[in-house]
Amino acid sequence: MAADLLSSKMESSMHITTKTVGDDRIRRAKENDEDIAVLSTFLPEALDDAKSTRNFDCALGYRCLLGDSRKAPAGTKKMEYKTRQWHEKCFCCVVCKTAIGTKSFIPREQEIYCATCYEEKFATRCVKCNKIITSGGVTYKNEPWHRECFTCTNCNTSLAGQRFTSRDEKPYCADCFGELFAKRCTACVKPITGIGGTRFISFEDRHWHNDCFICASCKTSLVGRGFITDADDIICPECAKQKLM
């Protein structure tokens, strides 16, 4: 068998590409159980010491494009990958049926895919734009997004790496969530979002940031203390006594 091509894995560990090497390199690769695909030529049986031509059986079986899976015409080529063999024309993408030749391919569950068909069928797609995520995506609610697609529902600001919260399963930046949905502090009228562990006080139908929950008279913090309501104000017990004197 006159072998002349060897495939090696790319850094992605999925795509298998080809390069021309010598017989010695192929022999070493097989001995080391490397993940290789070898393209070689059928020799006349009289010259084939290993009799591999006689033992050949195309992996496509009854689907063999030559009509006979055991056919091995001298001078034509075959592809070997793992423990299986194909006629060169039969070593094709399972989806588009294009012959792989010396192009890159991806093996999956006993099938062979060209790079384009593999990406179309198996690649991770962004839940927002439905395009393939090649690198740097983010996951939200167990769904994949491009970083640039994962944005605030209201203002479209990127949320990748930022604090955010959700409403009705939709993500919002802290500013938009506060403006649209959050309770507002009775004292400063700014939103109380609770994002980042913000603490707040609620009393009846009113709410305060912790820092805003202070006596209206002496400005002392009332967090964790008793207080008295005085119309719309809240005051500490000491100031309430002063008012009664």
Side-chain angles (χ1 to χ4, degrees), residues 51-105:
K51 305 301 181 186
S52 56
T53 296
R54 187 167 54 200
N55 296 328
F56 174 80
D57 191 3
C58 179
L60 286 189
Y62 71 90
R63 296 177 295 159
C64 175
L65 301 181
L66 274 65
D68 181 356
S69 66
R70 300 189 65 83
K71 190 174 183 179
T76 60
K77 294 188 177 183
K78 73 169 183 175
M79 182 68 80
E80 297 177 74
Y81 178 66
K82 299 287 189 181
T83 59
R84 297 186 295 163
Q85 305 176 80
W86 296 258
H87 295 107
E88 182 182 20
K89 290 182 179 180
C90 295
F91 191 68
C92 58
C93 173
V94 67
V95 177
C96 68
K97 309 305 181 184
T98 300
I100 299 297
T102 58
K103 298 188 293 291
S104 63
F105 68 92

Side-chain angles (χ1 to χ4, degrees), residues 123-164:
T124 301
R125 291 181 178 273
C126 174
V127 69
K128 183 174 183 179
C129 71
N130 200 40
K131 294 181 180 179
I132 293 172
I133 300 174
T134 56
S135 63
V138 298
T139 300
Y140 173 65
K141 302 272 186 198
N142 293 320
E143 294 182 318
W145 304 64
H146 289 112
R147 292 179 67 87
E148 59 271 23
C149 290
F150 188 58
T151 59
C152 172
T153 302
N154 186 58
C155 70
N156 289 322
T157 298
S158 175
L159 297 179
Q162 305 298 316
R163 293 190 306 168
F164 68 92

Side-chain angles (χ1 to χ4, degrees), residues 11 41 63 72 109 121 152 158 162 183 202 219 226 244:
E11 290 182 358
T41 303
R63 296 177 295 159
E109 297 177 353
K121 188 174 180 67
C152 172
S158 175
Q162 305 298 316
K183 300 178 176 66
S202 293
K219 309 305 179 187
L244 293 176

